[in-house]
Amino acid sequence: MKNVLVIGATGQIGSELTMELRKRYNGDIVAGYIPGAEPKGELLESGPSEIVDITNDQQIAATVSKYQIDTIYNLAALLSAVAEAKPQLAWKIGMGGLFNVLEVAREKNCAVFTPSSIGVFGNNTPKDKTPQDTIRNPRTMYGVTKVSGELLSDYYYIRFGVDTRSVRFPGLISYVTPPGGGTTDYAVDIYYEAVKKGHFVCPIAAGTFMDMMYMPDALHAAIQIMEADPSRLKHRNSFNIASMSFDPEIIAGNIRKYMPEFTIEYKIDPLRQAIADSWPNSLDDTCAREEWDWEPHYTLDVMTQDMLSKLKTRFKK
Ligand code: AKB
């Protein structure tokens, strides 16, 4: 039996990860949410939910005690572009929140998963096949909180033995819950606009390559890393994982394979473009493959077919 608390359960990753964990484990999988972002439908009906504001350590501790939680998935965060608009809040949630989670985990003996991101890298990091262990010098608040979070999570493991583990997510693409305020969001929006309007105004320039991943692979990674044999892990916070790397022209071309009438134009968002330019073109995920058998399953082409078919059904096109 496994009892899991997912903090941020109604967000882009949380809404799908909570359901996946409920399918996999027969304990209590608690959907932690903040007022205004209540779970709905199947997420609400298929298991317990509790108000858990990550900035409130009492709420985290009370929920962990009530359900005898053994694993916390800490998914609360502001994404990169929003974090630049609200850096103080990004720090409060990203670092203050993580500190609260780690303290509760230390006291109540929980394992902790906190996603990191390609955002930990910066302009001085090698751009292609970025290695696992390399320069992490981001110039965004999002990146600063993610690097600091990796260091703090490793500290809690080394100093207190808290079982902290993490992966560096690339841009995540899904048709279920839209992301909010990320730099890689264009790669989700492009599918919605293709289906709704047949046309997309892209905020990221042609030729800008970033790592991306289809959500089923990301969910699989988040679960597999927590189930990995600890004796094989040389790294913990955090592993490079990779699936596909493309620029806007490549994804648009792939959509055109199934919707020949689809068109794209460019209207660059300078903030998002600067962030994208500071991130790697592609990551080297050898350590994840060697230490816990990470392997992605979705290609760009398979993802495009699935995204278009699911969104066409939803929007009845
Ligand atoms: C973002 O664009 O902010 C996120 C990320 C890559 O971490 N999707």
Side-chain angles (χ1 to χ4, degrees), residues 137-202:
N137 68 333
R139 293 284 181 268
T140 60
M141 180 49 99
Y142 182 66
V144 168
T145 62
K146 289 299 182 190
V147 174
S148 310
E150 290 189 0
L151 294 173
L152 189 65
S153 298
D154 270 342
Y155 177 80
Y156 266 72
Y157 170 65
I158 294 160
R159 176 79 168 80
F160 302 118
V162 177
D163 186 1
T164 56
R165 305 181 191 193
S166 170
V167 296
R168 292 177 181 142
F169 279 134
L172 300 182
I173 297 166
S174 157
Y175 57 87
V176 178
T177 306
T183 302
T184 56
D185 292 10
Y186 91 87
V188 178
D189 298 340
I190 194 169
Y191 289 111
Y192 278 78
E193 295 296 285
V195 169
K196 287 196 216 162
K197 299 187 188 142
H199 181 73
F200 181 56
V201 181
C202 187

Side-chain angles (χ1 to χ4, degrees), residues 244-257:
M244 58 184 95
S245 167
F246 54 74
D247 84 322
E249 285 293 297
I250 293 177
I251 186 173
N254 195 243
I255 291 173
R256 228 172 272 123
K257 190 168 156 190

Side-chain angles (χ1 to χ4, degrees), residues 54-247:
I54 196 159
T55 63
N56 183 333
D57 56 348
Q58 308 285 324
Q59 271 175 10
I60 303 170
T63 306
V64 165
S65 297
K66 179 172 171 186
Y67 293 94
Q68 297 181 323
I69 296 294
D70 54 69
T71 304
I72 302 174
Y73 278 84
N74 163 24
L75 306 179
L78 297 189
L79 292 183
S80 53
V82 178
E84 280 314 286
K86 301 176 186 169
Q88 295 81 2
L89 183 61
W91 180 265
K92 191 174 169 194
I93 294 172
M95 290 311 297
L98 174 60
F99 183 75
N100 290 340
V101 168
L102 291 171
E103 272 298 291
V104 171
R106 180 179 67 80
E107 280 167 12
K108 301 189 182 289
N109 200 20
C110 303
V112 178
F113 174 88
T114 305
S116 188
S117 160
I118 55 173
V120 295
F121 300 116
N123 284 315
N124 299 340
T125 306
K127 281 248 170 259
D128 295 304
K129 288 271 162 208
T130 301
Q132 168 68 38
D133 301 312
T134 186
I135 301 164
R136 290 172 294 170
N137 68 333
R139 293 284 181 268
T140 60
M141 180 49 99
Y142 182 66
V144 168
T145 62
K146 289 299 182 190
V147 174
S148 310
E150 290 189 0
L151 294 173
L152 189 65
S153 298
D154 270 342
Y155 177 80
Y156 266 72
Y157 170 65
I158 294 160
R159 176 79 168 80
F160 302 118
V162 177
D163 186 1
T164 56
R165 305 181 191 193
S166 170
V167 296
R168 292 177 181 142
F169 279 134
L172 300 182
I173 297 166
S174 157
Y175 57 87
V176 178
T177 306
T183 302
T184 56
D185 292 10
Y186 91 87
V188 178
D189 298 340
I190 194 169
Y191 289 111
Y192 278 78
E193 295 296 285
V195 169
K196 287 196 216 162
K197 299 187 188 142
H199 181 73
F200 181 56
V201 181
C202 187
I204 298 291
T208 310
F209 280 78
M210 285 185 278
D211 260 9
M212 303 281 178
M213 184 175 288
Y214 201 31
M215 189 59 88
D217 275 336
L219 302 180
H220 175 62
I223 293 170
Q224 199 186 346
I225 178 73
M226 295 312 285
E227 291 182 349
D229 174 355
S231 70
R232 287 180 62 197
L233 300 181
K234 298 193 189 94
H235 299 82
R236 279 176 169 266
N237 302 284
S238 176
F239 281 92
N240 281 4
I241 54 170
S243 165
M244 58 184 95
S245 167
F246 54 74
D247 84 322

